């Protein structure tokens, strides 16, 4: 069964959860631990949306 396309601008649930975690992280003090977590979350977010980017190409 083909997947139904999501309206433009909506993220997959996993990507949306990661995005929310990134937003909460930005409220924390800026230190090395926050920077490392931010980098880890960016990688996870990119992996979560990668399939959408491949389909669009």
């Amino acid at each position: 069964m083909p997947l139904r396309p999501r309206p433009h601008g909506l993220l997959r649930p996993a990507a949306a959860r990661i995005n929310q975690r990134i937003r909460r992280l930005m409220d924390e003090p800026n230190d090395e631990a926050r920077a490392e977590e931010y980098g880890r979350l960016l990688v996870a977010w990119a992996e979560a949306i990668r399939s959408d980017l491949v389909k669009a190409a």
Side-chain angles (χ1 to χ4, degrees):
M1 182 171 171
L3 297 174
R4 291 185 302 178
R6 286 181 309 284
H8 179 69
L10 294 180
L11 297 174
R12 291 181 174 268
R17 283 191 301 273
I18 296 166
N19 190 40
Q20 186 65 12
R21 289 172 60 193
I22 290 171
R23 289 175 185 272
R24 283 194 309 264
L25 183 66
M26 293 299 105
D27 290 334
E28 295 180 11
N30 188 7
D31 59 12
E32 189 174 328
R34 182 181 105 165
E36 289 173 7
E37 178 67 1
Y38 181 70
R40 190 186 68 73
L41 288 170
L42 284 181
V43 169
W45 185 81
E47 290 172 357
I49 65 163
R50 182 166 293 145
S51 63
D52 283 351
L53 297 176
V54 172
K55 289 177 189 174

